[in-house]
Amino acid sequence: MNFEHDFAGGLLRVTSSDAIGTITINNPDRKNALTAAMWRAIPQALRMLTDKAHAHVIILRGIGADFSAGADIREFDSLRKNSETAVAYEALNSQAFEAIRHCRVPTIAAIRGTCYGGGFGLAAACDLRIAEQGARFSVPAVRLGIAYPADAVQDIVNALGPQMAKVALFTGAQMSGEKMAAAGFLLEEIEAGSFDDEVSTLAHAIAANAPIALHASKLAVRAVLEQDGDLLREAEVIGAETFDSDDYAEGRAAFTERRKPHFTGK
């Protein structure tokens, strides 16, 4: 289903084609910094792509040369001026991270250039991360005198591992794509001329598969990472439902007939 919609006055763009949804951060003059309105719109954008556009996979990317420089610091004097306002602002951050983490379909962060702060957090919340060579990564909260949202640290630890997560959070230092790939944060680092094609290839490979099976697989991985028995049982229930699905029948038929399956999510 082809689909287009703008949020936050056009600063967040949503498109869908061939069961692949894309959320594009569209604030290039600010290195795709995220305003409060953009943070607020991210959960809405994800719901639109899964519920209305029926995307099987979602790509999160920034327009132009950068993924995202993180939260727009110009709003800090009003929206993060003290602990009371900061708590409300960080709730928007946490809701965006959670929406990505809990999204029923796989998510891919396609990273170019700057990936800092809240942008780093968005990438860490995604299931998969792929970067163009030359991308730069940092969690500079400590350098601003603030702590990173505690409930979002889980994504950084899961994506980077405990020791590298501590280095990122304790130092605020800039890290290269090569270093992030070695730590396991990135699936791979891609040459500039091949980046868009590689992202598209990965997204199409995922989108071609059965949505219910993808959902069950994502829940199972989350259950393991979060050590959540209830979530594991939910994944087991959904996994069992796949055997009664139209998609399972289609998968068997396609295998027998030596053709590509056409999955509908039913």
Side-chain angles (χ1 to χ4, degrees), residues 24-43:
T24 302
I25 304 166
N26 182 37
N27 192 11
D29 292 342
R30 297 286 298 164
K31 288 186 172 292
N32 291 324
L34 295 146
T35 65
M38 294 162 74
W39 284 112
R40 190 176 293 111
I42 287 171

Side-chain angles (χ1 to χ4, degrees), residues 5 31 67 98 115 143 164 182 188-189 203 212 233 236:
H5 191 82
K31 288 186 172 292
F67 181 72
E98 182 180 31
C115 182
R143 295 188 173 190
M164 281 298 295
E188 54 186 325
E189 194 182 18
I212 302 173
R233 284 184 284 277
E236 290 171 345

Side-chain angles (χ1 to χ4, degrees), residues 2-71:
N2 292 337
F3 190 85
E4 294 184 14
H5 191 82
D6 283 351
F7 290 92
L11 295 177
L12 203 69
R13 292 179 176 172
V14 172
T15 59
S16 180
S17 179
D18 297 328
I20 298 171
T22 301
I23 298 175
T24 302
I25 304 166
N26 182 37
N27 192 11
D29 292 342
R30 297 286 298 164
K31 288 186 172 292
N32 291 324
L34 295 146
T35 65
M38 294 162 74
W39 284 112
R40 190 176 293 111
I42 287 171
Q44 301 172 41
L46 289 162
R47 285 194 298 271
M48 180 170 284
L49 285 172
T50 55
D51 298 349
K52 187 170 184 178
H54 305 296
H56 294 186
V57 61
I58 295 173
I59 300 168
L60 179 63
R61 66 191 317 153
I63 201 166
D66 296 294
F67 181 72
S68 174

